């Protein structure tokens, strides 16, 4: 099965911009979706189909993709953005799904 | 507003079988717009996709768990279920059910999750 690799942790100053990346072979064929998870809570979808936001997600969240890498960017990070972020995509054979290893974002 | 709710035992003995149910409210499970999935998260670790199903009964499993899992649907009760057998302590996790919207190709609605501990 495929693997999606993320940096374990990143930090960002309040109001600044942070980019989280997700790498994997399946991303050459399929878009990534991105999930935010705060402690003790279920994940919530923040970006789907490369760069689409569900209703209620602030526009400071954006997505992009190039080659085998998908990225989530938070422009003007807020204290409430401190959370774990996971990417997800189809597996290479398209019938399954795979989650990234997760990135902990700290807002300083 | 569609909601998902997991239910099942909080404690299971090894090597018994875990049975969890996800009840869908506020919408129908019998829609060709969605898949329905199970995801788990061991304490302090990341998310792991377990498997997904379509309301017709088609199923897709994580290759690493395929030999131990089954997923079924009961459209009359508007719920779907997960069975995971030959449990070990490594199956201890929060188990989530989620809806995958085909047009999004993403899990857009999640249940709150249920903690399952495997211990004798």
């Amino acid at each position: 099965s495929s693997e999606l690799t993320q940096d374990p942790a990143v930090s960002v100053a309040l109001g600044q911009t942070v980019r989280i990346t997700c790498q994997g072979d399946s991303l050459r064929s399929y878009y990534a979706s991105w999930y935010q998870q705060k402690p003790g809570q279920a994940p919530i979808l923040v970006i789907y189909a490369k760069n689409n936001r569900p209703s209620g997600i602030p526009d400071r969240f954006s997505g992009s993709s190039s080659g085998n890498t998908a990225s989530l960017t938070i422009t003007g990070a807020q204290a409430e953005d401190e959370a774990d972020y996971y990417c997800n995509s189809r597996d290479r054979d398209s019938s399954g799904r795979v989650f990234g290893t997760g990135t902990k974002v700290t807002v300083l | 507003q569609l909601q998902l709710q997991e239910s099942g035992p909080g404690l299971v003995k090894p090597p018994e079988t875990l049975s969890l149910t996800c009840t869908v409210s506020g919408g129908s499970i019998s829609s060709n717009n969605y898949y329905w999935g199970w995801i788990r998260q061991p304490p302090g670790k990341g998310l792991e996709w377990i498997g997904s199903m379509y309301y017709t009964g088609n199923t897709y499993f994580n290759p690493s768990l395929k030999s131990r899992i089954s997923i079924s649907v009961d459209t009359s009760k508007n719920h779907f279920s997960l069975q995971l057998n030959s449990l070990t302590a490594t199956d201890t996790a929060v188990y989530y059910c989620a809806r995958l919207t085909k047009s999004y190709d993403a899990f857009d609605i999640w249940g709150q999750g249920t903690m399952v501990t495997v211990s004798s």
Side-chain angles (χ1 to χ4, degrees):
Chain A
S1 62
S2 302
E3 292 183 349
L4 295 178
T5 302
Q6 301 178 234
D7 289 332
V10 296
S11 60
V12 57
L14 185 68
Q16 297 303 301
T17 296
V18 63
R19 187 172 72 173
I20 306 161
T21 60
C22 171
Q23 289 189 304
D25 287 343
S26 63
L27 299 178
R28 297 185 185 278
S29 303
Y30 305 110
Y31 288 135
S33 51
W34 290 92
Y35 304 82
Q36 176 193 72
Q37 187 182 35
K38 297 182 179 179
Q41 298 182 18
I44 62 169
L45 178 65
V46 294
I47 291 288
Y48 66 92
K50 183 177 177 180
N51 190 22
N52 291 276
R53 285 175 287 105
S55 174
I57 301 301
D59 60 6
R60 63 179 178 271
F61 290 91
S62 63
S64 61
S65 183
S66 178
N68 73 335
T69 301
S71 300
L72 173 70
T73 300
I74 309 174
T75 304
Q78 303 298 303
E80 61 264 32
D81 301 333
E82 187 163 288
D84 293 326
Y85 291 84
Y86 295 90
C87 58
N88 177 262
S89 182
R90 296 192 196 192
D91 204 338
R92 273 178 296 191
D93 66 4
S94 86
S95 64
R97 312 291 304 191
V98 59
F99 281 95
T101 50
T103 299
K104 181 176 181 59
V105 172
T106 300
V107 180
L108 304 173
Chain B
Q1 177 79 359
L2 187 130
Q3 293 185 317
L4 306 179
Q5 179 67 58
E6 306 90 348
S7 58
L11 178 64
V12 190
K13 292 182 170 59
E16 293 179 349
T17 296
L18 171 66
S19 294
L20 295 175
T21 295
C22 180
T23 300
V24 179
S25 59
S28 175
I29 202 170
S30 302
S31 167
N32 60 5
N33 295 318
Y34 311 115
Y35 288 88
W36 305 91
W38 289 98
I39 298 104
R40 71 179 182 178
Q41 185 172 37
K45 297 190 177 181
L47 300 171
E48 179 183 33
W49 174 74
I50 298 171
S52 298
M53 55 145 286
Y54 200 49
Y55 77 98
T56 56
N58 288 1
T59 52
Y60 312 89
F61 299 139
N62 185 322
S64 68
L65 298 169
K66 187 174 184 177
S67 64
R68 298 197 292 131
I69 61 177
S70 66
I71 297 176
S72 59
V73 61
D74 188 333
T75 54
S76 67
K77 295 181 179 178
N78 220 38
H79 73 210
F80 62 106
S81 300
L82 168 71
Q83 287 202 317
L84 177 63
N85 60 37
S86 303
L87 292 172
T88 71
T90 59
D91 295 309
T92 294
V94 176
Y95 285 75
Y96 296 100
C97 60
R99 183 183 82 173
L100 188 147
T101 293
K102 290 167 67 175
S103 60
Y104 288 11
D105 200 25
F107 293 103
D108 61 334
I109 298 179
W110 294 64
Q112 66 183 24
T114 187
M115 180 68 203
V116 176
T117 301
V118 181
S119 175
S120 54

